Amino acid sequence: MIVALNERINNFLLIENLFDIMKEIISTERFQKVYIDYAGEKSTQKENYDNLRKNNKKFDYLMNKLNYNPILEGKDIQIYFIAPIQRLSRYKLLTDAILNILPKDSAYTEDGKSLSNLINKILKKANRKAAETLNFSEAVKLLLLLKFQNNEIKLHQLFQNRELLFHSDLLSVKSVFMSKKEEIHNSLKRNKNNDSQIQQFSIYHVILLTDLLFICKKEENQGGSFFYKVIQKAEKSRVQLEMCEWEESNDDQSCQDNRETDIASKLFLLIFTILRDNSNRRGINRMLNTKYMFACTKSEGEIWMKNFENDCPVFALESDE
């Protein structure tokens, strides 16, 4: 394509059309597939390159040697990795620039608009692929840290047709078994007036995939590395999420005396309900629904809420007065 473009530029004083040359290459299925696949890996390209240099001495030696080659013109080789990705964006800029200076009645206007739209679609697909690649890479790193009791699930099974939606550390109030929302209100009222409340807290790491939820505890290996011990695994369809405001007593003196209470008054609670059975829950089954309560900021809670499809009610606790 570059040769054809240069030839036309050199042979014509006034250039009104380059669209046909670019479209001939860009419109082919082969070009689009190669570009999208290559551009889709850009998010993990540097990390993979650094890992290769770190773990492969022969590769590292060759890269060091190549960096002194005059063909690179003194530039780092990674600049050339990204050049093919940038080229299509520059073709888009060139196409739009030509369109801006073409006469309104030009015979080439429609061809230019068509080419611009085509390039835009390819760039969007490449960006989506890059986001998916980054998400998959992050998911793999995270899921490899999971440790299941009795090896109940194989790690490779987690990577099949799943996406990492969100994960974060959450401060757990406690795990309880309840059936009615009123009991949650009463429990929270008891907790917020309990001086030993802070001691009941512990950090959990909560992971949400497309269809699975994991509630984990971070633990250390003997070598100093860590892993996530899976405490609870549930299908997303069996998880209900509620968010409620954590209100505190209006006693100003108690707020001054207890800094933790002042901080807690600015927090919200996320309540994950793990349903034990998708069928109609009656009798004792209602008592087996596990509820995990986590303290969080409003913004973090809203992110979690958005990742659940079911209706997630937001309710405020009543005052003690």
Side-chain angles (χ1 to χ4, degrees):
M1 185 193 298
I2 300 296
V3 174
L5 288 172
N6 285 334
E7 185 177 344
R8 182 166 297 182
I9 290 171
N10 292 330
N11 291 340
F12 292 87
L13 216 71
L14 180 62
I15 303 170
E16 196 174 3
N17 179 32
L18 295 175
F19 306 139
D20 55 331
I21 297 174
M22 291 187 281
K23 192 170 185 178
E24 183 180 356
I25 302 297
I26 293 171
S27 62
T28 64
E29 184 178 342
R30 182 186 176 193
F31 172 85
Q32 294 180 27
K33 184 180 184 309
V34 170
Y35 180 84
I36 291 170
D37 287 345
Y38 184 80
E41 298 293 334
K42 69 179 179 180
S43 54
T44 56
Q45 193 178 73
K46 185 180 186 306
E47 183 181 359
N48 293 336
Y49 174 77
D50 289 342
N51 286 336
L52 271 173
R53 295 201 64 168
K54 181 180 178 181
N55 300 317
N56 190 319
K57 292 183 179 180
K58 185 176 181 180
F59 181 79
D60 184 53
Y61 169 77
L62 291 174
M63 290 301 101
N64 280 328
K65 187 177 179 180
L66 185 59
N67 279 330
Y68 292 101
N69 195 311
I71 198 172
L72 294 184
E73 301 177 341
K75 300 175 183 176
D76 189 284
I77 192 171
Q78 292 186 73
I79 293 176
Y80 295 93
F81 292 164
I82 200 171
I85 300 173
Q86 296 172 331
R87 185 165 294 163
L88 191 61
S89 300
R90 290 171 179 168
Y91 290 156
K92 174 76 163 60
L93 293 174
L94 175 60
T95 300
D96 292 344
I98 296 173
L99 281 171
N100 286 334
I101 62 174
L102 279 180
K104 293 183 179 179
D105 57 350
S106 172
Y108 304 114
T109 300
E110 289 304 317
D111 289 340
K113 290 181 179 179
S114 174
L115 177 61
S116 181
N117 290 335
L118 175 61
I119 296 176
N120 200 43
K121 288 180 181 178
I122 297 172
L123 291 173
K124 285 183 177 180
K125 288 181 180 179
N127 288 334
R128 281 199 299 269
K129 179 69 181 272
E132 291 170 2
T133 302
L134 184 60
N135 181 280
F136 181 77
S137 176
E138 183 182 0
V140 168
K141 292 177 185 176
L142 184 63
L143 296 178
L144 285 174
L145 295 173
L146 296 184
K147 186 173 183 179
F148 296 91
Q149 299 177 14
N150 303 321
N151 295 319
E152 60 186 88
I153 187 169
K154 302 297 182 183
L155 287 177
H156 71 271
Q157 296 174 346
L158 293 177
F159 304 140
Q160 298 175 359
N161 301 319
R162 288 191 172 98
E163 181 183 351
L164 177 63
L165 299 183
F166 191 58
H167 68 102
S168 68
D169 285 333
L170 290 174
L171 192 65
S172 172
V173 178
K174 65 175 183 175
S175 297
V176 291
F177 293 85
M178 299 185 207
S179 61
K180 296 180 181 179
K181 185 181 294 184
E182 290 76 9
E183 292 179 338
I184 300 176
H185 287 267
N186 294 332
S187 175
L188 294 178
K189 288 178 181 179
R190 288 194 299 271
N191 275 338
K192 71 179 183 179
N193 293 320
N194 189 346
D195 292 337
S196 62
Q197 173 185 340
I198 298 299
Q199 314 220 342
Q200 300 178 17
F201 288 168
S202 57
I203 297 292
Y204 283 76
H205 196 78
V206 185
I207 303 168
L208 181 63
L209 303 182
T210 308
D211 61 340
L212 290 174
L213 176 79
F214 298 103
I215 297 177
C216 313
K217 285 284 288 180
K218 185 176 179 180
E219 297 189 5
E220 286 192 4
N221 291 313
Q222 291 182 350
S225 60
F226 71 92
F227 62 91
Y228 291 120
K229 182 179 180 181
V230 179
I231 305 300
Q232 178 76 55
K233 175 179 73 71
E235 296 175 4
K236 185 185 175 188
S237 59
R238 293 197 298 108
V239 179
Q240 292 180 353
L241 182 61
E242 295 174 304
M243 180 177 172
C244 66
E245 187 176 355
W246 190 334
E247 294 183 353
E248 285 297 321
S249 170
N250 292 326
D251 188 348
D252 293 337
Q253 184 62 40
S254 64
C255 287
Q256 292 175 1
D257 294 340
N258 192 335
R259 186 172 297 178
E260 287 82 7
T261 300
D262 184 57
I263 294 173
S265 66
K266 301 176 183 178
L267 295 178
F268 286 72
L269 285 176
L270 280 178
I271 305 171
F272 290 82
T273 303
I274 314 295
L275 305 179
R276 289 300 183 185
D277 189 359
N278 286 328
S279 61
N280 188 24
R281 302 179 299 283
R282 293 181 179 178
I284 195 168
N285 281 341
R286 291 175 60 87
M287 301 301 294
L288 295 178
N289 294 338
T290 310
K291 292 186 181 288
Y292 291 88
M293 296 191 292
F294 299 102
C296 67
T297 63
K298 183 179 180 181
S299 58
E300 186 176 34
E302 288 173 345
I303 294 174
W304 276 106
M305 297 287 285
K306 287 178 182 178
N307 280 294
F308 278 81
E309 298 176 355
N310 58 309
D311 293 331
C312 300
V314 178
F315 58 93
L317 300 180
E318 297 177 356
S319 134
D320 285 338
E321 297 179 354

